[in-house]
Every structure is written in C-alpha cells, then in structure tokens.
Amino acid sequence: MAVEVGSGRASGSTWGLVVLLGALTAFAPMGIDMYLPSLPAIGADLGVDTAHTQITVSAFLAGMAIGQFFYGPASDRLGRKGPILAGVALFVLASCACAMAPSAEFLVAARFVQALGGCAGGVVARAVVRDRFDHTQTARMLSLLTLVMGLAPILAPLLGGVLLQLGGWRANFWALAAFGVAVGAATLFRLEESRSEATAAQARSESPLAALASLLKDKRLVGYALAGGLNGATLFTWISASPGLLIGVWGIPASIFGWVFGLNAAGVIGAGQINRQLLLRYTPEQVLRGASAVGVVAAALLLVAAFTGWGERWTVLPLIFLVLSSYGFMAGNTMAGALNIDPRRAGSISALMGSSSFAAGAAASSLTAALGDGSARPVALTLFLAMTGSALALRTLALKGTARV
C-alpha cells in the first residue's frame, strides 16, 4: 500500500487508510473543541464558575499527555490494533460517564479518563504510518492526515453548538461516545496489522522505560520533540484563550465564534497540503527551516501589534492565523524526522512526541491564563515564546549539521 510520491496521487486503498487514521487522530480535537460552546452551560448547570469549567479542559490535556506513554510502547510490544481498540473502548465508556456527570468534580475525573482512552488513536496511528512508509512519504502522509483531522476543529464547535441547542451540554458527550463506537468498529474490521517483526523483537528485548530512556539520550529526537511540542502549544493556547478573547473582550457573537475559530483550522489544513507539495521538491528538514523562520517573524509582528494596540483585532487575528498555520508545516515534518531516527521504536517515539505536544500545550495555556489581563497581550507573548523556543530547538538540536535550503 503505497503513495505515488512523484505524482502526488494516492490509491483508493490509501485514501481509505488516510480517512481511518485521520479519524483516529481526531479524538483529541473532537474531545476538546466540540464542547467549548457548552462551557458556560456546564458551569450554570453544575453550579461552578468559568475557572472550574476550564479545569475540564486541563484534565483532558493531562490525560492525553500521560496516556500516550502507555499506548505507544504497548503498540510496539503487542501490535497496533489491540491498543487502539482498548483505548477507544475506554473513551466510549468515559464519554458516557461525562454525559451523566452529577457534579463538576465527577466531570473533571471523567474527562481525564476519557483522554486516557482517546489518546490511543493518535499515538498508534502515527506509528502505523511509519510502519508503511519511508521518511519523506511519512511526512507527506502525516500532512495528508491534517486534511481529515483538521476538519474536526472547524466542524466540532459548530456541531457542539447545534447539539447544545437540541439536547443541552450532555448531548455533546453522547455524540462523542457514538463517534468512538463508529471509529472502533472501523478499526476492528478495516485496519490491518502493520507492526514489523523487527519492532516486535526490539520491544521484547527491553522494557518500555528502558526504550524511552534510550530515546531521550538522542539529542536530535529531543530537538524534534521540543520543536514540534512548542509549535503545537500555539494551538492549545488559542483553543483555551479564544472564547474569552473573541467573545468576552472583542464582543464577537457566540454564533460567529465557531466560524472565526474554524478559520484558523482551515489555515492549518491549507498549510498541510502546501507542505505535501513542497515535499515533492524539498526534504522535510529544508521545509522545517523555512516554516520555522516565517513563524517566528509572524509571532514577533503579533507581539508588536498586541502590545501597541495597533489595528486591534484587524492585525492581531490575521497574524494569529499565520502563526497557527505554521503547524501545518511543522507537525508532520517534525514527527516524520523523529520517527526516522529509530523506526523499530515507532510507537515509543510517537508517544514521546505526542506527550511533549500536550504537555507543552498545557503549560502554554496555563501561562496565558495566569497572565490574563483582558487583552490579546498574553496570547501574543505566549505564542512568541513558543515559536522562538521551537525554532531554537530545531536549529540547535534536531537539524544541527543537516543541509540548509
């Protein structure tokens, strides 16, 4: 099952794989974005303020970061399919628990467990891609997955708003449970096992902790993890801060929020598809250098615009769009570069990369919240720090000594 890299075309069976793997990686954006419009209703129903409802987002991010360290190594040792199905089953059960939550504390705990299950799809899906494709093809396939996965941040808030109107905030979690059942069934009947014997032998020869310890000694892998994680932190920062900034500060109607929010997701999708075309002419490392530089410049301009107040939303929002769009170039290429370091440990590397992203996202969103002053300045500062840190990690660790554009 291969992509015709030279022509940029994919076979019908490959497109089926892309859709399935895209659905598996969509558990995170679906789990976060769908219920964002419901946060005020959750607070009102459960008798807590906005700060307490936002903890449910933090709990989900923490679960996504922690759970990957289990499923990644397990997929190297046990095979790709079993861990996915176990995680999806846990996600479905926890989603039902969220839908029936009697208190805010119960919902926070259920959200954590929900994330522990939902992270299986993304971490193992990336390993499946590396099982089937070489370095450059992996980067192109991961970019193609953004076309499917990227629809979730666009559609999820819109769907969440509709479900909120039709059945209240609990309907969002029943819908997530149904999504999990559908994806689990597709995985059971359509996903073929792809783990190689070399991967299985490597996993049997060492403990999961030994594998992770060995990987962390590789400076290039650490560089890719930091570069990808800090770049991804820009998305989590925007996810957590956008409702307050757009609706609370700038007075954008809640009915329009989903469209503005989704526009940035469209930028990520577009960048991912441009990245696929660039990879026909350039290496992933060359694309990373260029995209990182452009992202830092955009973040610096955003910082200036936010702190001077020049143009207000009419300059801040387009610059945020440019910064977030860099994810379409950075995510697939940093992941492909990391997976290429040791393909026999693809599951463990995927776990390390994914957990780094969610950990950096949780830290960045917490920093933005701590600095909150009712303006765009905290968002701009956090995005600038994240993009600068990502660029430094890329150039001093991941790509040190590699060819330049």
Side-chain angles (χ1 to χ4, degrees):
M1 184 178 295
V3 174
E4 296 179 44
V5 177
S7 65
R9 295 188 301 269
S11 68
S13 58
T14 300
W15 275 111
L17 178 66
V18 167
V19 172
L20 177 54
L21 296 182
L24 287 168
T25 57
F27 277 100
M30 289 287 286
I32 296 173
D33 301 333
M34 181 180 287
Y35 91 128
L36 286 180
S38 298
L39 287 179
I42 292 174
D45 187 36
L46 299 181
V48 295
D49 57 21
T50 302
H52 282 83
T53 59
Q54 289 178 340
I55 295 176
T56 63
V57 179
S58 300
F60 191 87
L61 293 177
M64 292 293 293
I66 295 171
Q68 297 192 51
F69 283 114
F70 170 77
Y71 294 106
S75 73
D76 286 340
R77 182 177 295 268
L78 305 175
R80 309 303 189 200
K81 200 168 181 176
I84 292 177
L85 293 174
V88 170
L90 183 61
F91 178 88
V92 171
L93 293 174
S95 296
C96 294
C98 289
M100 296 182 289
S103 66
E105 293 75 15
F106 185 96
L107 181 60
V108 168
R111 286 284 286 168
F112 179 76
V113 177
Q114 185 188 38
L116 287 179
C119 68
V123 65
V124 182
R126 295 188 294 266
V128 170
V129 171
R130 190 58 184 89
D131 290 340
R132 296 170 178 267
F133 301 98
D134 63 23
H135 178 36
T136 299
Q137 287 177 318
T138 294
R140 296 195 71 227
M141 277 293 294
L142 291 172
S143 294
L144 190 58
L145 288 183
T146 64
L147 180 62
V148 179
M149 184 184 68
L151 291 174
I154 297 176
L155 299 178
L158 300 176
L159 177 59
V162 172
L163 290 171
L164 176 63
Q165 295 298 319
L166 294 178
W169 64 268
R170 298 178 189 273
N172 282 279
F173 293 108
W174 290 120
L176 287 173
F179 173 75
V181 171
V183 176
T187 301
L188 178 63
F189 295 109
R190 302 294 297 177
L191 183 66
E192 298 177 3
E193 182 58 58
S194 61
R195 182 197 57 167
S196 68
E197 181 53 41
T199 294
Q202 179 68 38
R204 288 193 296 267
S205 70
E206 60 187 359
S207 70
L209 290 179
L212 290 172
S214 177
L215 291 172
L216 287 172
K217 294 177 182 178
D218 192 301
K219 291 183 179 180
R220 289 184 60 210
L221 181 59
V222 172
Y224 278 123
L226 289 173
L230 288 171
N231 180 265
T234 62
L235 292 182
F236 291 113
T237 297
W238 179 241
I239 287 170
S240 63
S242 58
L245 183 61
L246 295 178
I247 300 174
V249 177
W250 287 335
I252 294 175
S255 59
I256 304 298
F257 167 77
W259 295 102
V260 179
F261 186 87
L263 182 62
N264 288 304
V268 172
I269 294 173
Q273 303 324 299
I274 294 173
N275 182 58
R276 291 190 66 241
Q277 298 307 310
L278 289 176
L279 289 172
L280 295 175
R281 297 185 58 186
Y282 304 102
T283 66
E285 292 75 19
Q286 290 173 324
V287 175
L288 280 171
R289 288 185 184 277
S292 176
V294 172
V296 170
V297 171
L301 293 175
L302 171 63
L303 192 67
V304 172
F307 274 82
T308 62
W310 181 73
E312 201 198 27
R313 73 191 73 179
W314 305 113
T315 53
V316 169
L317 286 178
L319 288 169
I320 287 177
F321 175 87
L322 290 177
V323 173
L324 298 185
S325 294
S326 69
Y327 183 81
F329 298 99
M330 298 287 292
N333 291 326
T334 53
M335 183 65 70
L339 290 170
N340 193 53
I341 290 176
D342 189 351
R344 296 173 304 168
R345 294 178 172 134
S348 295
I349 291 175
S350 179
L352 180 63
M353 293 290 289
S355 295
S356 298
S357 180
F358 281 98
S365 59
S366 298
L367 175 63
T368 305
L371 297 175
D373 62 357
S375 75
R377 290 190 291 269
V379 174
L381 179 60
T382 303
L383 295 188
F384 176 74
L385 292 175
M387 289 300 300
T388 302
S390 175
L392 289 174
L394 194 67
R395 284 161 172 76
T396 62
L397 294 173
L399 301 184
K400 188 175 183 179
T402 61
R404 295 178 180 272
V405 177

